[in-house]
Amino acid sequence: MLFVLVLLSLAAVIAIVWRYARIASLRCVCVSWMSRSRLTSDTSMSLSDSSHLPPPLLPGSDAKWRKPFPELSMHKDFETFIYSFTWEDPYEDLQHFQLTETDRMLVITSAGDNALHYALAANPQAIHCVDMNPCQGHLLELKLAALSTLDYEDFFALFGHGQHPDFANLLELELAPYLSEPALSFWREHNNLFSHSFYRHGFTGWAIRVTSLVFRMRGISSHIASLLSATTVEQQKQIWLEHVKPVFQTPMLVRLLKSPMFCWYACGVPSNQRKMLLDEGTLYDYLMDTFEPVLCTYLLKSQNHFLRLCLTERYTYECCPEYLTPTGFYKLKDSASGELNAFHLHTSSIIDALRTMEDQSLTRMHLMDHLDWFSPDATEIDDEIKQVHRVLTRDGAVFWRSAAKKPWYNARFERLGFKVMALSVRQGTEVALDMVNMYASFYKATII
């Protein structure tokens, strides 16, 4: 009975937060309009007294990254972004990508963090970022616009701390000229996302909030704080084993993790991918194989910004992605370096984006875990692999990660003219594949 009561209480909290979020999203349209009206009035008075200043850039006048896209009915299903941060380790990617300035690559947009990391590391000639969800493109556009015009303090406040008290004004006065019309409309309607923690939003934000709630209900918030402040990996490991790991064995969390709805709406894990990992073991085993090696290898205080963000809802200056460091920020901001000019944002499926490209025009593709979303009886996956084969240069390579140790679609690549090789496959809780360690395998394929 107590378990049922707790579970119902948790469901009630989630329902209330969800209803509040939907109401808030409607209210922010009105607030945004009122703010813009006052801002336009104030700006007009200011400009009348400063006629010697150059005219301000118009909204969208310097937008250059987003490829035009038709508004499709499926876009209405995406009211917001799924991922507010990217959940794959770009440092591990670069070990295998061997990027150079002559490379032309395709990646899935997600939150754009890894694409920015690739630009910093190698300044490739072109980075095509593809996502069916327009809101993921809106988020990357915002980061590119912010890199183009904001100072470091404002930039880190937005995407490091996830909070800025004056985002609405920044949007209108600084960022608007660099944003496409769809992106600008989205951020005007959602200009409250930075009023508190930005990283509590999106579907991944649900996972962060529910996890935090579970930790509070179990009374281990102080142990989580100790985990984050540990100064040695051995100390961190002890806290994990004695205080945090047992929570994952509680019936409430086990029931939550078994829910297909929670896996999708909170974690962004679709049903086909969930089935792939369940075919090879239990969800509990998968989670232990994910977290234990990471917590026994990387210090959360300074070495693993992925888990630190999930537990604190923000980055620190000492523990953050490369593009949020002063060095990374100023390198990307330097217009002479050309890194930002490499970005091309596509709002479409991967196969539709590939169909617009010339034969042998890309040297690297990273499909992330995208292929896990297909079911084994899906025929369209063959069409996509054929397009990958057509667009990839003969000496190019395509990469992917999977929730399965040996995903079923590897055989499809081999049948359609690729040589597939495993770069890393998870082996229990002994070794972390990378700082995230969320996926069971990492693969590379080249054309035979």
Side-chain angles (χ1 to χ4, degrees), residues 100-113:
T100 69
E101 292 184 353
T102 61
D103 277 306
R104 302 174 303 280
M105 63 188 309
L106 178 146
V107 300
I108 293 178
T109 306
S110 188
D113 300 348

Side-chain angles (χ1 to χ4, degrees), residues 120-177:
L120 270 171
N123 188 18
Q125 182 179 336
I127 305 176
H128 294 272
C129 301
V130 183
D131 211 298
M132 292 179 64
N133 184 346
C135 305
Q136 298 294 161
H138 301 336
L139 177 53
L140 179 52
E141 265 199 86
L142 186 70
K143 290 180 179 179
L144 293 171
L147 282 163
S148 299
T149 188
L150 298 185
D151 59 32
Y152 179 67
E153 290 72 21
D154 284 331
F155 186 77
F156 196 89
L158 288 172
F159 303 111
H161 295 150
Q163 186 173 354
H164 198 294
D166 203 27
F167 173 69
N169 282 340
L170 282 181
L171 179 64
E172 300 298 342
L173 296 177
E174 304 286 348
L175 301 169

Side-chain angles (χ1 to χ4, degrees), residues 370-418:
H370 148 72
L371 296 171
D372 280 3
W373 293 41
F374 289 91
S375 63
D377 59 353
T379 57
E380 58 266 33
I381 193 170
D382 285 4
D383 296 332
E384 181 170 314
I385 294 173
K386 289 175 183 177
Q387 286 296 322
V388 170
H389 192 286
R390 180 186 67 81
V391 175
L392 195 65
T393 58
R394 300 306 91 171
D395 59 348
V398 55
F399 300 83
W400 62 85
R401 285 187 171 89
S402 176
K405 293 178 180 178
K406 189 174 181 180
W408 56 267
Y409 47 80
N410 283 9
R412 300 283 186 95
F413 274 91
E414 292 171 336
R415 181 164 56 83
L416 293 170
F418 286 89

